[in-house]
Amino acid sequence: AGILHAYMDGLLRGEIRANCPWKFWSRDFHLLNDRLCLKITDAKAMVDWIDQHFDVQTVVLTRHPIAQAISVAQNQWLTSGKGLLKNARFVEQWLTPEQEALSWDLHRHGTDLERRIVDWVLENLVPLMLLRDRPNWLYLSYEDLIVHTEAVIDYLSDKLQLSNRRAMLAQFARPSRSVLRTSGSKSRRLIDDRDRDRLVDGWQAKISDDVRRACFRILDRFGIDVYRPESSLPDHRRIGRTGFA
C-alpha cells in the first residue's frame, strides 16, 4: 500500500508522468496544465481507497453491460475477470460464496458473451455498490453522453468547474481510438452522422431475447439493477441519482 500511495501521490503532483499527452502538434495539446485527470479502466475496485487517501473528484462512468461486452469482443480484447477472482481480498470483501462460484462456472463453461458480462460485473461492482453512500461521487453513463450530451456537459462543467464548454462539445464528435482503428466501421459512420439512438440501441439487434434474459439473470445474481432489460439507458434512481432526462 505504501508503494502504491507514493505512486499515486507522484502522479497527482505531476512528478510521475504516465500516458501523458505528448503530441505537441495536436490541437488539444497544452504545454501547461492546471488540472489532472486519471482515467482508470482496470482498477475500479480501488476507487474508494483513492477517494479516501487523496484530494480528488470522482466520476464513475459505465456503459450498458451487453453493449460493452459486444464491443470488447469485437476489439478482440482479452477477458479480465479471472484476475479479480484470483484476488482473495477482493473476493472476500465483495463477493458471496455463491457469486464467486457462479463467476468461475461462467468463466469455465459459459458463452463468450456470458464471460464478458461477468467481467463487466467484477470490474464495476465496487463503484456501483458504493455510489448510494458516496453522494460526492458523480455518475454518468456512455448512454447519457450520447443521448443527453448538452445536459451532461453542463453537469460536469458545474460540478468540476470546467470552463471550456465548446471544446467539450467538439470532443463528442471525435471517434475513440478503438473506433478509429476500424475506420470503415458502422460505429464510426454513426458518430459522423450523430445518429444518437442507433449508437445507444444498436447492440439490441445483435442478440436474441433469450440471450438478453440470460445476461440479465447474471446481473440480478449480483444485485446490479442500474440497467434493466427494457431499456438501453440506466435508471439513475437505482443508485440514488436523478439522471439527465
Side-chain angles (χ1 to χ4, degrees), residues 11-219:
L11 285 174
L12 294 171
R13 289 176 180 272
E15 298 168 356
I16 298 174
R17 291 172 289 278
N19 295 325
C20 293
W22 58 272
K23 297 180 180 179
F24 61 85
W25 59 86
S26 175
R27 62 182 178 182
D28 56 1
F29 178 84
H30 296 278
L31 185 61
L32 298 175
N33 296 280
D34 58 4
R35 300 289 291 271
L36 180 66
C37 176
L38 300 181
K39 178 183 177 182
I40 300 175
T41 59
D42 299 324
K44 297 177 187 176
M46 294 177 58
V47 60
D48 204 39
W49 180 85
I50 294 172
D51 185 64
Q52 291 178 17
H53 288 83
F54 301 96
D55 182 19
V56 296
Q57 294 169 300
T58 300
V59 181
V60 176
L61 172 69
T62 63
R63 185 181 182 185
H64 193 287
I66 300 177
Q68 177 72 13
I70 292 173
S71 176
V72 296
Q74 289 175 339
N75 281 293
Q76 299 181 335
W77 293 343
L78 299 175
T79 55
S80 59
K82 286 184 179 180
L84 288 168
L85 289 173
K86 292 177 180 178
N87 184 321
R89 187 170 180 180
F90 174 86
V91 171
E92 180 181 357
Q93 185 171 358
W94 299 107
L95 299 180
T96 66
E98 293 77 17
Q99 290 168 343
E100 180 188 9
L102 174 64
S103 300
W104 278 117
D105 182 62
L106 289 172
H107 260 286
R108 290 166 175 153
H109 308 295
T111 66
D112 183 64
L113 182 61
E114 288 173 337
R115 285 192 292 272
R116 295 184 186 278
I117 292 294
V118 172
D119 285 353
W120 186 97
V121 169
L122 297 174
E123 290 169 3
N124 291 280
L125 184 64
V126 175
L128 287 178
M129 289 182 69
L130 293 175
L131 270 167
R132 276 192 171 274
D133 298 322
R134 304 293 186 273
N136 57 309
W137 292 4
L138 309 184
Y139 170 75
L140 54 98
S141 72
Y142 166 86
E143 295 79 22
D144 295 320
L145 291 167
I146 298 300
V147 176
H148 305 297
T149 304
E150 292 79 8
V152 169
I153 287 178
D154 288 342
Y155 172 70
L156 293 176
S157 298
D158 175 57
K159 298 295 185 181
L160 303 178
Q161 296 82 51
L162 303 173
S163 58
N164 198 338
R165 188 176 184 275
R166 179 180 299 178
M168 288 188 283
L169 277 169
Q171 190 69 24
F172 275 92
R174 298 178 61 183
S176 67
R177 284 182 295 178
S178 61
V179 172
L180 287 172
R181 281 196 292 266
T182 54
S183 58
S185 73
K186 184 177 181 180
S187 294
R188 182 170 185 175
R189 292 195 299 273
L190 293 176
I191 292 171
D192 292 339
D193 295 339
R194 300 304 302 273
D195 192 334
R196 297 184 180 190
D197 291 338
R198 292 177 67 191
L199 278 168
V200 169
D201 294 327
W203 63 269
Q204 297 190 30
K206 299 177 181 179
I207 63 168
S208 67
D209 289 341
D210 287 344
V211 170
R212 185 203 315 264
R213 285 191 288 269
C215 290
F216 272 93
R217 282 196 293 271
I218 296 171
L219 296 171

Side-chain angles (χ1 to χ4, degrees), residues 224-235:
I224 294 177
D225 59 1
V226 66
Y227 289 95
R228 302 307 303 160
E230 63 273 7
S231 175
S232 296
L233 296 172
D235 184 348

